[in-house]
Amino acid sequence: MSSTTNSDQMQSALQESRKFPPPAALAAEAHVGSPEAYEKLYKESIEDPEGFWAGAAKEMHWFKPWDKVLEWNCPDAKWFVGGQTNLSYNCLDRQVEAGLGDQTAIIWESEAVDAKGKPTVLNLTYSDLLSKVSKFANALKKLGVKKGDVVTIYLPMIPELAIAMLACARIGAPHSIIFGGFSAQAICDRVNNCESRFLVTADGGWRRGKSVPLKKNADGGMELTDRIETCVVVKHAQIDIPMKDGRDIWYHDVVTDASDVCPAEPMDSEDLAFILYTSGSTGKPKGIMHTTGGYMVYTYLTSKISFDLHPGDVYWCTADIGWITGHSYIIYGILPNRVPSIMYEGGPNHPGNDRFWDIIERHKVTKFYTAPTAIRTFMKWGDAEVEKHDLSSLKLLGTVGEPINPEAWMWYREKIGGGRCPVVDTWWQTETGGHMLVPKPGATTTTPGSCTTPFFGIDIAVVNSDGEEVPTNTGGILVIRKPWPAMLRGVFGDRERYIDTYWSKVKGMYTAGDGARKDEDGNFWIMGRIDDVIIVAGHNIGTMEVESGLVSHPAVAEAAVVGYPHDIKGNGIAAFVILRGDIPVGEEAEKLKAELAKHVAKELGPISKPDVIKLTDALPKTRSGKIMRRLLRDIAAGVEIKGDITTLEDKSIVEKLQKR
Ligand code: WT7
């Protein structure tokens, strides 16, 4: 089942022909305003990547210019070699020096609301943020943090999270941010892996109306490892917590007397900016390393182009900063673009299921970026929640994290975007640092389910295991053939794993682990992880397509598809289906299952028809919202669950599914 050799023949049955050209008004003002403009610039960027990226880098501040744009010894890239810059300087000081200090950098909104239903909102200007970041940077220095020391950050979505990361960047201390939903064991593993001696946490955070005891988890983590020497604690959720003498210290105490002037440290372009551990996989955490100059330029330019950012925009990405999406597209790529970035503390359903639409209406959000898993949840919650609010400020909608099935794409476009906003489906990874396949909103004609064409400078292709491009509309391995500025520089402390995972499947090319096809218009379609491909009677079936087939039935809200051993076909297809309404029982249930199977056969052909359908009210997901198909494979095969389940969000779901 988990064959990579056969995936170069992955078959595609998905038919989608709806096309949406860019809205004329947006195109007229866009940074990239026509297909011709995109084609021309793309060609230039591929023929002369060094010239192209030097041009982009010049839009930012460098303490010392680079000597050489690129040094490439596969699989090691160095960008802007010899140049010196600073991420925090480009996010903050530059804006203040340009006289824009009074403009809003971050709009923070609390989850909790008062008796009148009002949340707490903080507008942090570039000047405010610069002063707070400088204070905390000075405090960190005083606590003994030196350039190169890794600082672990385990915070909820509060302003101090943005402040702490920018303070680290300011003094050249790489950060390792751990998502606030992770456990004590996860903290310990990550702290040990990067040998971090400093931790920044909070008493707690708010999520769906309940407080999350972060310090308690952090204490648990610090019991499992003795590496943390200093733990700075933000008071936020007003939870009573123990403070350990000599180790734990309050954030408000360390910043009170600290000076608000702290010059940004000139960093070499290739100095480590941060480590971010990837989610969802088994075994040892994988610390993805990103460096300074290339990451900075790439996230700046992709933010500008993909979201077509202009003065006057209000931008909101709903991700947590604990994921790469938040690193790149709440903070590092957005602040240099001088557009306010909303940081919302909590969940989508507090106090009501319309919280996101309420936020968009109140802040007049123009550019909105969220995940397919959220969109499908909103569909399930019903259109009435959306219709309560005026969403006419929206101009562009983005998605990231998983393939978005055409049904959800259309709903997003129609119900949220009012049919007038381009949907920007961004394909990328923690490892790529920024968008790789992405519509240019003023230039690209979009089609539901496709992440369309490459970003500038990205030489991306669908190949077989010999690295040869496969024919149009044939599934294969998605590879990147040339280095790009924000590419990962390695896996922390594990050179072998870096080479094994990314550089050994197809010689000389970066493999992303995804299967894809390219259509006759040059648009890319992600077919799912290569490891998830199911070989049914010799045919390779992409899970994503069967899932889309199921979701296109009006009764279905979400579906996950896996293979299981089948006597005749080698593998059968098992589908786990969440319905929009209640789950029927007995004969009704059987009737619906038969109807769903027939529907898929009609949409995709009989080979893709599920053999087994299980109706469920929830699916096992990682905390970042990705379906854990390996658990579903074990459940479908009726065997004991193997492997790590520490990243699973709700463990009870597995037991429920086993009983179905
Ligand atoms: C994997 C990377 C990129 C930030 C969030 C996830 C899947 C991501 C898309 C998309 C289809 C997508 C891929 C990729 N993925 N975006 N637009 N269409 N698939 O980061 O945890 O590093 O996961 O997410 O499978 O390889 P990540």
Side-chain angles (χ1 to χ4, degrees):
M1 195 161 55
S2 59
S3 154
T4 40
T5 48
N6 260 339
S7 60
D8 29 331
Q9 300 129 28
M10 205 196 284
Q11 279 153 12
S12 171
L14 189 73
Q15 298 283 333
E16 177 59 66
S17 54
R18 288 169 286 195
K19 285 194 178 358
F20 299 95
L26 187 139
E29 312 261 292
H31 295 297
V32 185
S34 68
E36 297 73 31
Y38 166 68
E39 296 293 337
K40 181 168 175 284
L41 203 52
Y42 179 71
K43 192 160 171 268
E44 284 172 24
S45 73
I46 293 294
E47 283 168 1
D48 177 20
E50 298 190 28
F52 178 85
W53 288 114
K58 281 184 191 141
E59 292 182 33
M60 312 201 76
H61 172 87
W62 293 78
F63 295 107
K64 178 174 169 278
W66 53 90
D67 305 315
K68 218 173 152 202
V69 177
L70 170 66
E71 246 177 62
W72 175 231
N73 280 309
C74 185
D76 298 303
K78 288 186 181 156
W79 284 89
F80 308 112
V81 187
Q84 288 190 331
T85 187
N86 185 289
L87 276 161
S88 137
Y89 189 96
N90 276 285
C91 287
L92 305 172
D93 307 54
R94 245 182 111 231
Q95 278 47 286
V96 175
E97 281 164 19
L100 305 171
D102 290 345
Q103 294 193 5
T104 304
I106 290 178
I107 302 170
W108 179 80
E109 173 155 331
S110 68
E111 184 189 83
V113 293
D114 65 15
K116 289 196 186 122
K118 277 216 161 69
T120 307
V121 174
L122 292 175
N123 276 297
L124 291 157
T125 65
Y126 294 103
S127 299
D128 295 338
L129 202 53
L130 176 58
S131 137
K132 288 181 196 298
V133 165
S134 299
K135 271 177 167 279
F136 192 52
N138 280 325
L140 285 174
K141 281 195 203 170
K142 203 164 164 206
L143 291 169
V145 178
K146 299 215 165 48
K147 191 171 170 175
D149 286 340
V150 181
V151 176
T152 300
I153 301 177
Y154 179 67
L155 284 173
M157 282 286 281
I158 55 176
E160 287 79 1
L161 173 51
I163 294 166
M165 68 198 285
L166 288 163
C168 287
R170 199 160 185 85
I171 63 174
H175 51 69
S176 160
I177 303 183
I178 303 177
F179 171 56
F182 279 140
S183 64
Q185 186 63 47
I187 298 169
C188 158
D189 292 346
R190 285 157 180 72
V191 162
N192 278 341
N193 185 268
C194 64
E195 301 180 7
S196 175
R197 293 182 294 131
F198 303 92
L199 177 66
V200 183
T201 188
D203 53 352
W206 292 101
R207 186 88 193 161
R208 297 171 202 241
K210 293 200 189 79
S211 67
V212 183
L214 291 180
K215 176 63 162 52
K216 194 170 151 225
N217 298 346
D219 281 340
M222 288 187 284
E223 260 163 44
L224 298 168
T225 171
D226 52 15
R227 283 191 196 273
I228 297 297
E229 293 163 14
T230 305
C231 174
V232 180
V233 187
V234 179
K235 201 182 198 80
H236 175 67
Q238 316 303 330
I239 304 177
D240 262 345
I241 50 161
M243 295 287 280
K244 188 172 163 184
D245 252 3
R247 185 194 69 190
D248 299 350
I249 178 160
W250 288 107
Y251 180 93
H252 54 257
D253 286 339
V254 296
V255 292
T256 314
D257 295 329
S259 153
D260 63 0
V261 178
C262 176
E265 185 73 27
M267 301 297 291
D268 281 333
S269 180
E270 281 302 329
D271 276 341
L272 185 63
F274 62 85
I275 301 167
L276 183 58
Y277 289 89
T278 51
S279 61
S281 59
T282 44
K284 221 174 115 201
K286 190 161 69 177
I288 303 301
M289 297 197 286
H290 282 289
T291 57
T292 307
Y295 175 82
M296 176 181 87
V297 172
Y298 196 81
T299 53
Y300 161 72
L301 194 71
T302 46
S303 300
K304 176 174 164 180
I305 306 285
S306 308
F307 304 126
D308 197 42
L309 297 178
H310 293 278
D313 269 328
V314 177
Y315 166 89
W316 182 23
C317 165
T318 68
D320 193 288
I321 288 180
W323 312 122
I324 191 69
T325 307
H327 282 58
S328 300
Y329 298 114
I330 295 178
I331 302 295
Y332 290 128
I334 303 298
L335 297 187
N337 272 289
R338 299 174 174 169
V339 157
S341 183
I342 295 186
M343 208 179 145
Y344 168 55
E345 179 188 10
N349 53 354
H350 187 85
N353 285 355
D354 62 337
R355 182 61 186 266
F356 276 17
W357 321 128
D358 179 46
I359 292 178
I360 291 176
E361 181 173 17
R362 272 188 291 107
H363 295 291
K364 301 203 167 35
V365 172
T366 57
K367 311 281 163 82
F368 179 63
Y369 192 28
T370 195
T373 176
I375 297 168
R376 287 189 297 261
T377 306
F378 298 136
M379 286 172 78
K380 192 172 154 65
W381 287 346
D383 297 357
E385 299 292 347
V386 182
E387 284 154 9
K388 284 184 208 159
H389 296 278
D390 174 5
L391 305 183
S392 61
S393 58
L394 286 171
K395 291 185 186 160
L396 179 147
L397 304 171
T399 117
V400 59
E402 297 168 85
I404 176 162
N405 47 290
E407 220 48 41
W409 195 103
M410 285 303 296
W411 184 88
Y412 195 31
R413 184 186 151 87
E414 298 303 326
K415 294 291 169 203
I416 306 305
R420 59 175 198 282
C421 305
V423 174
V424 174
D425 178 1
T426 65
W427 178 86
W428 58 297
Q429 307 178 297
T430 305
E431 293 86 341
T432 70
H435 303 155
M436 305 299 278
L437 288 167
V438 56
K440 280 49 64 179
T444 310
T445 291
T446 53
T447 289
S450 167
C451 46
T452 74
T453 52
F455 192 71
F456 299 115
I458 301 304
D459 179 14
I460 191 162
V462 182
V463 302
N464 62 23
S465 42
D466 294 326
E468 298 152 346
E469 277 194 63
V470 298
T472 300
N473 279 323
T474 307
I477 306 166
L478 189 62
V479 294
I480 303 155
R481 298 184 289 203
K482 291 215 180 73
W484 66 101
M487 69 181 257
L488 77 164
R489 299 299 195 266
V491 174
F492 191 85
D494 203 339
R495 175 83 184 162
E496 217 173 295
R497 197 163 176 198
Y498 173 59
I499 293 171
D500 262 18
T501 313
Y502 306 107
W503 298 96
S504 57
K505 306 229 163 52
V506 185
K507 201 169 174 287
M509 300 180 192
Y510 171 88
T511 47
D514 285 350
R517 75 179 158 99
K518 194 173 155 180
D519 70 16
E520 52 284 347
D521 299 327
N523 286 324
F524 286 77
W525 298 76
I526 303 298
M527 297 170 76
R529 302 291 296 169
I530 286 171
D531 292 348
D532 291 337
V533 165
I534 313 168
I535 304 171
V536 182
H539 300 270
N540 290 40
I541 307 283
T543 49
M544 149 71 187
E545 295 196 341
V546 184
E547 287 161 10
S548 285
L550 283 160
V551 179
S552 71
H553 188 284
V556 178
E558 183 161 22
V561 162
V562 296
Y564 69 95
H566 189 286
D567 287 347
I568 297 157
K569 299 195 278 185
N571 287 294
I573 300 177
F576 295 79
V577 172
I578 300 182
L579 299 177
R580 289 198 189 209
D582 293 337
I583 304 181
V585 286
E587 214 172 292
E588 284 288 297
E590 294 315 309
K591 231 173 86 191
L592 179 62
K593 287 183 194 177
E595 187 185 317
L596 293 179
K598 215 172 112 197
H599 176 77
V600 174
K602 190 176 120 244
E603 294 280 304
L604 302 174
I607 189 75
S608 303
K609 184 175 156 179
D611 299 278
V612 177
I613 294 181
K614 289 180 189 244
L615 304 176
T616 170
D617 48 17
L619 290 165
K621 289 189 181 172
T622 64
R623 284 164 206 272
S624 61
K626 283 197 178 27
I627 296 166
M628 295 179 83
R629 289 193 183 72
R630 63 186 169 80
L631 300 189
L632 293 177
R633 280 199 288 265
D634 290 343
I635 294 169
V639 301
E640 203 186 318
I641 305 259
K642 302 175 283 284
D644 183 47
I645 56 162
T646 53
T647 54
L648 180 64
E649 190 175 24
D650 177 358
K651 299 199 170 58
S652 71
I653 291 172
V654 170
E655 285 162 30
K656 274 200 227 156
L657 281 172
Q658 280 167 326
K659 287 193 197 115
R660 285 203 171 266

